[in-house]
Amino acid sequence: IPTIVRKNEFVVKNSRSLRRDLDLTLSENKQMLAKNMFIFGQCMEGTQFYGLFGMVLSLYRQNKFPGIGQMFRYTLRDESNHIELCRNLFMDLVEENQEIWTAEFRQDLVDTMREAVATEKEVSADEFEHYIDFIADRRLQGCGLQPLNPGISNPLPWLAEMMDIRKEQNFFEGKVTDYQKASALTVSSDDDL
């Protein structure tokens, strides 16, 4: 699928240079590491994944695929943690190495987000394109960078409500009936299987 190939190329062209013996005393290598943290945490998980989740949760909101929708809601808790972890690591790396936080590097990160958004929009409808712009700006601002679309608002407030699942809720703490309601499977005995 051409759009998936382009997304893969976007990641590989940036991460190909990372290797175990990378000399992190060099500023350009610190920037490369920081850029990859930004790409994986903010561009991919923080923006592109949210576009996908939004599409699935839109179906869930319409009472379609309730089981998968519920799984995605639980997955979002983990994704939110990954995004925040990558953002914190990125921001700590920048804080500890101020020499890498140049105007050119900041612009490179904004341009990288622009590219991530463009690859995601190749497979998205207008409303989700607007949502992806909104999410991308949240990720940029969270890293102290200028947004691509200043002042943009969330076009899908219901999606924010679903994606901001209660963080303290544990998948294993739910009642059996909670999952049964969301399941499209019928109850059967072991003999029927």
Side-chain angles (χ1 to χ4, degrees), residues 117-135:
V117 168
T119 60
E120 189 63 23
K121 283 183 173 182
E122 290 179 21
V123 294
S124 300
D126 290 343
E127 198 171 43
F128 282 101
E129 288 183 13
H130 188 93
Y131 177 71
I132 290 165
D133 286 338
F134 169 75
I135 291 296

Side-chain angles (χ1 to χ4, degrees), residues 16-89:
R16 182 169 281 140
S17 302
L18 290 179
R19 51 187 195 285
R20 289 178 191 260
D21 63 343
L22 192 66
D23 182 359
L24 289 175
T25 62
L26 302 175
S27 291
E28 61 267 19
N29 290 346
K30 291 176 189 177
Q31 281 184 332
M32 184 186 353
L33 177 61
K35 183 175 182 177
N36 275 274
M37 286 179 186
F38 179 79
I39 288 169
F40 285 97
Q42 306 310 305
C43 296
M44 287 179 52
E45 289 200 67
T47 303
Q48 293 176 326
F49 284 13
Y50 268 60
L52 168 65
F53 289 150
M55 292 177 207
V56 172
L57 290 174
S58 176
L59 294 170
Y60 174 74
R61 183 174 183 235
Q62 299 168 45
N63 294 321
K64 298 175 182 172
F65 302 111
I68 291 173
Q70 189 62 34
M71 284 184 349
F72 269 66
R73 291 187 71 205
Y74 286 116
T75 302
L76 276 166
R77 179 184 52 204
D78 292 336
E79 293 305 323
S80 296
N81 290 333
H82 299 166
I83 294 163
E84 191 60 17
L85 172 67
C86 285
R87 190 188 75 79
N88 287 335
L89 288 171

Side-chain angles (χ1 to χ4, degrees), residues 149-161:
N149 306 281
I152 194 169
S153 61
N154 185 352
L156 305 170
W158 62 266
L159 191 53
E161 185 179 314

Side-chain angles (χ1 to χ4, degrees), residues 122-175:
E122 290 179 21
V123 294
S124 300
D126 290 343
E127 198 171 43
F128 282 101
E129 288 183 13
H130 188 93
Y131 177 71
I132 290 165
D133 286 338
F134 169 75
I135 291 296
D137 281 358
R138 276 181 55 189
R139 304 303 176 221
L140 286 167
Q141 289 172 319
C143 292
L145 297 165
Q146 293 297 312
L148 298 172
N149 306 281
I152 194 169
S153 61
N154 185 352
L156 305 170
W158 62 266
L159 191 53
E161 185 179 314
M162 284 185 159
M163 287 196 177
D164 294 335
I165 189 170
R166 290 186 349 233
K167 303 295 185 234
E168 71 277 0
Q169 184 178 4
N170 185 313
F171 177 82
F172 298 104
E173 291 174 353
K175 294 180 262 168

